[in-house]
Amino acid sequence: IVGHHTCGFAGSLVLVGGDPGVGKSTLMLQLASIVSEGSEDHGSSPVVYVSGEESIEQIANRADRMSIKSKDLYLYSSTDIEDILDKIQPLSPKALVVDSIQTVYLSAFAGSAGNQVQVKECTSALLSFAKMTNIPVFLIGHVTKTGDIAGPRVLEHIVDVVLYMEGERCLSHRLLRSAKNRFGSTDELGVFEMSEHGLQAVLNPSEMFLTEHDSDSEILAGLAVAVVLDGSRTFAIEVQALSVPGSLGQGKVVGTKSKRVEMIISVLMKQAGLKLQDNVIYLNVVSGFELSETAGDLAIAASICSRGGGVFFLYYFYFF
């Protein structure tokens, strides 16, 4: 988006979703600052960041912590869509950010901000504004417990671009992936690291998904590395497994589907002859990465059996 200098997104409506606290507001505030500063070919121009969740002082304090000094970044706190559009039109900004779509409302429609009717109508009003003025509008949206954008499902059909920000709050890395893009491919994946100055692009993401170990260390047992393709980027992902005495099925799986791990365990028991029925298997994909590609199956299996019979297993499993 920044690389296109928003020209390719003129008049578009972009929805950025994610769990609370994942860094959506931080990302959008940084984006607003970068766009407002312009480039050598295009001078600086105003960008408006509107928040219905925070006061101007709170946003300004966050901008100070992130060392944002842009003079053309305008902050406004309001939840009334009509008021927001009236205030920003004289500025003719280069972009508008609304944080968040669940906090704004239109007085012409019944219900409080955040209900399905208000979310749909506010989004439609902002879409009309974007198309008429050719100003790109960025919406921040919260997700439900099921991982969907809060509000009616039609919301994702109204907008031009849908981006999802993922990451564990206790970890520093964040993933930004595209679920919809009317202007191009959805195969791109952004990898960032949260720092005290905001989100920083990660040039070598595999470093974040691998832990450091001495090659002679005994704790290498139970570890395996999978090379997977996510979008157009390749990652080296570490898989960790722990086996302790107990009843099979009582373990916990983090970072991939448990049913998939159960199937791999069954293959190991049947085809490789591993006696796992009296063991509790715990499996973890490092750094909260969601391992969905089938290329990770071999690493899952290798991590489970790596304490014994590994050479035989790898040969047998490969030809299974």
Side-chain angles (χ1 to χ4, degrees):
I1 292 173
V2 177
H4 283 78
H5 200 67
T6 71
C7 292
F9 284 79
S12 64
L13 187 61
V14 180
L15 177 63
V16 181
D19 292 327
V22 76
K24 303 182 299 295
S25 298
T26 299
L27 176 67
M28 287 296 99
L29 190 58
Q30 285 183 263
L31 173 64
S33 173
I34 293 170
V35 173
S36 68
E37 290 173 355
S39 63
E40 294 181 0
D41 298 330
H42 302 82
S44 61
S45 54
V47 172
V48 180
Y49 185 102
V50 179
S51 177
E53 300 181 341
E54 298 177 290
S55 67
I56 293 176
E57 290 75 14
Q58 288 174 312
I59 306 171
N61 288 336
R62 181 149 46 88
D64 288 339
R65 291 197 301 271
M66 296 163 58
S67 301
I68 292 176
K69 305 295 183 183
S70 176
K71 296 180 180 179
D72 289 300
L73 176 56
Y74 291 80
L75 306 178
Y76 187 50
S77 181
S78 177
T79 56
D80 187 339
I81 286 291
E82 294 175 340
D83 172 58
I84 293 170
L85 298 183
D86 287 341
K87 288 289 194 304
I88 71 169
Q89 283 189 10
L91 283 172
S92 187
K94 193 160 192 176
L96 168 65
V97 178
V98 178
D99 182 7
S100 68
I101 189 60
Q102 282 86 18
T103 61
V104 293
Y105 71 93
L106 277 168
S107 57
F109 297 92
S112 58
N115 71 23
Q116 294 203 2
V117 174
Q118 286 288 358
V119 170
K120 177 183 176 182
E121 296 302 331
C122 288
T123 303
S124 298
L126 290 168
L127 177 65
S128 299
F129 169 79
K131 301 306 179 187
M132 288 190 299
T133 61
N134 228 24
I135 297 173
V137 178
F138 298 87
L139 306 178
I140 294 177
H142 300 305
V143 299
T144 63
K145 292 181 179 179
T146 59
D148 298 320
I149 300 289
R153 192 66 183 178
V154 72
L155 180 63
E156 296 187 25
H157 296 285
I158 296 175
V159 302
D160 299 307
V161 179
V162 179
L163 304 175
Y164 280 95
M165 196 165 191
E166 305 171 357
E168 300 291 334
R169 295 183 65 177
C170 58
L171 301 174
S172 63
H173 78 274
R174 301 288 186 270
L175 302 178
L176 184 67
R177 64 178 73 247
S178 174
K180 173 185 177 182
N181 185 3
R182 285 182 180 154
F183 309 108
S185 172
T186 58
D187 289 336
E188 297 300 325
L189 178 70
V191 182
F192 303 91
E193 183 173 13
M194 183 69 77
S195 69
E196 60 181 4
H197 297 297
L199 291 162
Q200 308 294 327
V202 177
L203 300 180
N204 184 11
S206 293
E207 291 181 349
M208 305 181 64
F209 303 120
L210 296 175
T211 56
E212 294 184 4
H213 298 293
D214 187 342
S215 59
D216 296 327
S217 173
E218 294 182 357
I219 64 171
L220 289 177
L223 303 182
V225 176
V227 179
V228 299
L229 183 68
D230 195 327
S232 60
R233 306 185 71 167
T234 303
F235 299 91
I237 306 297
E238 184 176 303
V239 180
Q240 304 170 335
L242 174 66
S243 174
V244 296
S247 299
L248 187 64
Q250 294 182 348
K252 184 174 179 61
V253 175
V254 178
T256 190
K257 294 182 178 179
S258 58
K259 293 293 184 183
R260 181 177 166 195
V261 175
E262 290 174 6
M263 178 194 69
I264 294 172
I265 291 174
S266 298
V267 171
L268 293 177
M269 294 170 63
K270 176 69 176 179
Q271 303 294 345
L274 296 184
K275 301 183 183 300
L276 301 173
Q277 58 270 21
D278 296 326
N279 292 272
V280 178
I281 305 295
Y282 296 91
L283 190 127
N284 175 57
V285 180
V286 170
S287 294
F289 189 91
E290 190 66 28
L291 184 58
S292 57
E293 189 181 347
T294 53
D297 290 357
L298 187 58
I300 292 173
S303 66
I304 293 173
C305 79
S306 65
R307 286 186 179 275
V311 175
F312 167 77
F313 147 72
L314 287 173
Y315 176 84
Y316 207 116
F317 189 81
Y318 180 78
F319 288 99
F320 169 71

